[in-house]
Amino acid sequence: MAEQLTALSIMQDAPVIPVIVLRDVNHAVSMAKALVAGGIRVLEVTLRTPQGLGAIEAIAKSVPEAIVGAGTVRNAADARAAAAAGARFAVSPGYTSSVGEACREARLPLLPGVSTSSEIMQAQQDGFNELKFFPALQAGGINMLKAWQGPFAEVRFCPTGGITPANAPEFLALKNVVCVGGSWLVPTDTLERGDWEHITLLAREAAALPRKA
């Protein structure tokens, strides 16, 4: 029986959630196995490409040790399609109440995207306290997260957007940051080469990053 997931448990699983853009479904299973081998099992496969849902389905069926979720969930239809494909959580670039409701109906833990205090308040009003801060660097980065520690002390964030191995430790040192989202774990050229060993190495380095929260 699959473990019961919450947004917080998903964030706590590893310091980094890889943000994955796949253009070839045939890469999905090998890539997922490579990430899991490196200690990263929570995988956000975005719906930015037509292959996203197929990749989620392939990983869900063939890599049961992975916890695969759907990123770029923008509406209720995306949430339903993600759940049908086997996604176990959802991540949205922004937040609307309809997306929150659809994810609840589909039993998908959701990390809603926010970039302003008003968006945080809206997400909290709907019961969400674990949020994706996106786009993190463009929306204020470290200083914005520090400013939010006062009025939103109970909120935990996953900053995504512009996060790199170089700046990830600074974000992870904040008490309101549980993990970060990053695309560097699955570089496009590495995918195209099928260099799974390199992806495992990147995952291992990411899994070893220290964090405060």
Side-chain angles (χ1 to χ4, degrees), residues 65-85:
E65 60 270 36
I67 299 171
V68 63
T72 324
V73 172
R74 298 185 302 170
N75 51 52
D78 284 346
R80 289 191 290 268

Side-chain angles (χ1 to χ4, degrees), residues 35-59:
L35 288 165
V36 170
I40 300 291
R41 62 179 191 144
V42 171
L43 316 179
E44 177 191 338
V45 177
T46 70
L47 303 184
R48 297 179 195 176
T49 68
Q51 294 79 19
L53 288 171
I56 289 169
E57 186 172 7
I59 294 168

Side-chain angles (χ1 to χ4, degrees), residues 166-186:
N167 63 21
E170 189 177 2
F171 280 91
L172 290 166
L174 298 175
K175 64 183 181 181
N176 58 347
V177 171
V178 180
C179 65
V180 298
S183 58
W184 80 86
L185 279 75
V186 187

Side-chain angles (χ1 to χ4, degrees), residues 173-204:
L174 298 175
K175 64 183 181 181
N176 58 347
V177 171
V178 180
C179 65
V180 298
S183 58
W184 80 86
L185 279 75
V186 187
T188 301
D189 59 341
T190 306
L191 265 180
E192 291 173 353
R193 289 198 311 270
D195 189 349
W196 313 122
E197 288 184 7
H198 184 58
I199 287 177
T200 295
L201 174 63
L202 293 173
R204 192 171 291 128

